[in-house]
């Protein structure tokens, strides 16, 4: 990959909730290979739309061609792209046209084999997002989730746009709480297929086996991996009370972090590995607490709702998402790491569960349940634009967003 044009860049500040969306047109890419240019433009559109500060103008309004009155269509920018041949296989190029000045701005070029065309398109997407904001986009990420599309709740992984879904487990029993390792190569989850809630881990680089990590009597639940990927904090009830323990990647218990103070679950590491947020009902109702990653005194963070649970520490380390019981349903909230500045992100009907952050800390994926239906949604941390992430057969729950792919 290379820049086609180096220049000073002014990045958009998308941290404010009142910033209007950048309107972009993505006409069909020029191509000598059939409808290749149209399919690249369609995938790039999906990738750009994932990022909540971007709006893409419907190509049907201008026929998908590169010659249009972009100002009258309300476009701020146009991605002018082409797909061409190269000794290595294929070249994908994209340049940004600034409609107001009618000048070409940043450009990107990617080379690869024909089989890498989709990946190059999403690389282009994330690079264009970087040109706007100063940080790469998150179109080249994956999401793990639970789906009942086979009639049983099994673990699946797909790309963040819902394409190429892969069934990871075939236990034919309830699976919950998938968790990626920081490098994205392994996925841990809990399953009841042996009658107990056991913890397993599978290497996603293969598709033939999975390994038991902890099958101790009682709960073996909801692991969180340390930022370096070496250690796990999970809930075990082997001694009777559900408490937090550390464990290595071979399943050996290290340290007991909580002791008998109510039910202690749903731990999440801070990005620097120094702190843990978790849920405890030691005050009578579930609430979010924080303590040192080595255990010790815990501080209560949540007071807004009657019950607060499922904390998720943001990748930047400054905020924690959680769900709170309000009006008979769980809603999605974000607070500062100290417990202040609590704000509700979810609106409308349904109950929101299992928040998980995008790697750039700008978006949250969440399971929204309404009636008998459960679907995955995405919401900006600064807005209330809850959108369905993708539509698939069956119900989806327990989302877990991966880091960026290498």
């Amino acid at each position: 990959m290379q820049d086609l044009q180096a220049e000073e860049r002014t990045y958009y500040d998308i941290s404010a909730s009142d910033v209007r969306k950048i309107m972009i047109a993505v006409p069909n890419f020029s191509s000598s290979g059939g409808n290749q240019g149209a399919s690249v433009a369609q995938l790039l559109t999906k990738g750009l739309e994932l990022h909540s500060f971007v709006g893409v103008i419907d190509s049907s309004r201008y026929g998908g061609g590169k010659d249009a009155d972009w100002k009258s269509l309300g476009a701020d920018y146009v991605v002018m792209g082409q797909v061409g041949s190269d000794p290595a296989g294929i070249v994908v190029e994209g340049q940004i046209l600034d409609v107001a000045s009618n000048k070409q701005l940043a450009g990107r070029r990617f080379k690869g084999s024909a089989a890498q065309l989709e990946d190059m398109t999403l690389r282009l997407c994330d690079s264009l997002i970087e040109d706007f904001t100063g940080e790469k986009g998150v179109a080249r990420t994956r999401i793990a989730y639970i789906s009942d599309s086979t009639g049983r709740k099994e673990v699946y992984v797909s790309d963040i746009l819902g394409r190429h879904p892969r069934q990871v487990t075939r236990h034919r029993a309830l699976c919950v709480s998938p968790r990626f390792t920081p490098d994205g190569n392994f996925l841990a989850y809990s399953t009841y297929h042996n009658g107990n809630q056991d913890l397993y881990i599978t290497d996603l680089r293969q598709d033939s086996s999975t390994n038991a990590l902890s099958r101790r009597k009682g709960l073996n639940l909801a692991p969180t991996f340390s930022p370096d990927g070496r250690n796990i904090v999970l809930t075990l009830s082997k001694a009777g009370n559900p408490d937090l323990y550390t464990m290595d990647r071979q399943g050996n218990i290290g340290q007991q972090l909580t002791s008998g103070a109510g039910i202690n679950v749903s731990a999440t590491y801070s990005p620097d590995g120094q702190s843990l947020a978790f849920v405890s009902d030691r005050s009578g109702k579930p609430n979010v607490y924080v303590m040192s990653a080595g255990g010790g005194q815990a501080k209560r963070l949540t007071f807004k709702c009657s019950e607060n649970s499922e904390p998720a520490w943001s990748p930047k380390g400054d905020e924690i998402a959680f769900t709170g019981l309000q009006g008979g349903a769980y809603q999605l909230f974000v607070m500062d790491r100290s417990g202040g500045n609590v704000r509700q992100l979810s609106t409308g009907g349904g109950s929101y569960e299992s928040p998980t952050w995008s790697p750039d800390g700008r978006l949250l994926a969440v399971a929204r349940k309404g009636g008998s239906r459960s679907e995955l949604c995405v919401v900006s941390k600064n807005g209330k634009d809850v959108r369905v992430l993708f539509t698939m057969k069956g119900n989806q729950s327990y989302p877990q967003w991966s880091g960026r792919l290498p």
Side-chain angles (χ1 to χ4, degrees):
M1 182 273 288
Q2 67 183 72
D3 285 339
L4 299 179
Q5 182 177 352
E7 60 176 60
E8 286 290 319
R9 293 187 183 137
T10 301
Y11 296 128
Y12 274 80
D13 177 9
I14 60 170
S15 59
S17 59
D18 58 349
V19 172
R20 77 167 181 86
K21 290 191 176 188
I22 303 171
M23 298 307 298
I24 301 177
V26 186
N28 294 338
F29 279 39
S30 303
S31 171
S32 57
N35 66 348
Q36 204 172 47
S39 62
V40 167
Q42 290 166 7
L43 179 55
L44 180 59
T45 293
K46 288 183 179 179
L48 290 170
E49 287 177 333
L50 171 67
H51 303 81
S52 59
F53 67 94
V54 172
V56 180
I57 295 170
D58 192 330
S59 62
S60 66
R61 293 179 59 193
Y62 56 91
K66 291 186 175 182
D67 296 318
D69 185 349
W70 302 119
K71 283 186 179 179
S72 69
L73 287 167
D76 299 306
Y77 299 95
V78 184
V79 180
M80 296 293 188
Q82 46 274 334
V83 181
S85 60
D86 179 82
I90 285 181
V91 176
V92 177
E93 297 181 13
Q95 298 85 38
I96 298 173
L97 171 68
D98 183 334
V99 173
S101 66
N102 198 34
K103 290 182 179 179
Q104 295 277 356
L105 301 180
R108 303 281 183 150
R109 175 190 288 125
F110 297 89
K111 298 180 181 180
S113 68
Q116 295 174 303
L117 181 58
E118 286 188 354
D119 187 63
M120 287 189 286
T121 302
L122 295 180
R123 285 182 187 272
L124 174 61
C125 175
D126 285 349
S127 296
L128 294 176
I129 294 296
E130 184 179 19
D131 290 328
F132 287 122
T133 68
E135 184 174 358
K136 280 187 182 294
V138 295
R140 289 186 70 254
T141 57
R142 295 186 292 177
I143 191 162
Y145 54 93
I146 304 298
S147 174
D148 64 359
S149 60
T150 64
R152 303 280 189 163
K153 292 187 176 181
E154 303 274 12
V155 180
Y156 289 74
V157 172
S158 78
D159 79 357
I160 194 61
L161 303 178
R163 302 171 325 121
H164 313 304
R166 167 188 168 189
Q167 185 176 342
V168 176
T169 64
R170 288 172 172 80
H171 292 308
R172 298 182 181 178
L174 174 62
C175 297
V176 296
S177 304
R179 300 285 190 273
F180 285 105
T181 53
D183 63 10
N185 288 332
F186 292 82
L187 192 73
Y189 59 92
S190 293
T191 176
Y192 290 84
H193 82 284
N194 283 328
N196 190 58
Q197 190 182 55
D198 297 331
L199 182 66
Y200 282 74
I201 189 166
T202 188
D203 187 339
L204 293 173
R205 295 167 295 185
Q206 55 86 52
D207 197 23
S208 60
S209 64
T210 186
N211 297 309
L213 197 56
S214 180
R215 291 190 288 195
R216 295 167 175 91
K217 183 180 179 181
L219 300 177
N220 299 267
L221 179 65
T224 180
F225 288 91
S226 59
D228 63 11
R230 295 178 181 175
N231 295 302
I232 300 166
V233 172
L234 78 163
T235 296
L236 300 174
S237 61
K238 63 185 185 65
N241 193 72
D243 279 305
L244 298 178
Y245 293 79
T246 62
M247 180 181 290
D248 64 21
R249 291 279 290 270
Q250 288 69 51
N252 302 307
I253 293 176
Q255 181 183 359
Q256 183 173 346
L257 300 178
T258 61
S259 181
I263 296 172
N264 302 280
V265 294
S266 303
T268 174
Y269 267 102
S270 61
D272 62 9
Q274 298 300 303
S275 301
L276 286 167
F278 65 100
V279 174
S280 178
D281 66 354
R282 62 187 63 186
S283 64
K285 294 277 191 178
N287 274 292
V288 178
Y289 290 77
V290 66
M291 67 178 176
S292 166
Q297 187 68 30
K299 174 190 173 185
R300 180 175 167 180
L301 296 183
T302 53
F303 296 89
K304 182 176 179 62
C305 300
S306 59
E307 294 182 10
N308 300 280
S309 59
E310 299 182 305
W313 217 302
S314 75
K316 308 292 186 188
D318 56 342
E319 294 174 310
I320 298 172
F322 66 98
T323 56
L325 185 61
Q326 187 167 274
Y330 280 91
Q331 299 298 325
L332 176 63
F333 295 87
V334 170
M335 63 182 168
D336 294 345
R337 62 177 295 158
S338 61
N341 190 25
V342 179
R343 54 205 186 277
Q344 182 176 337
L345 300 187
S346 58
T347 56
S351 190
Y352 294 80
E353 299 178 0
S354 307
T356 176
W357 291 89
S358 61
D360 61 1
R362 293 178 180 143
L363 298 168
L364 284 149
V366 68
R368 180 175 64 187
K369 294 186 176 181
S372 60
R373 178 71 181 152
S374 177
E375 57 191 352
L376 302 188
C377 297
V378 65
V379 57
S380 165
K381 75 158 189 174
N382 296 316
K384 299 182 179 180
D385 55 332
V386 179
R387 297 167 285 145
V388 175
L389 187 55
F390 48 69
T391 301
M392 288 184 175
K393 177 185 175 183
N395 296 285
Q396 291 80 46
S397 58
Y398 293 101
Q400 175 74 187
W401 209 318
S402 78
R404 292 183 176 92
L405 296 177

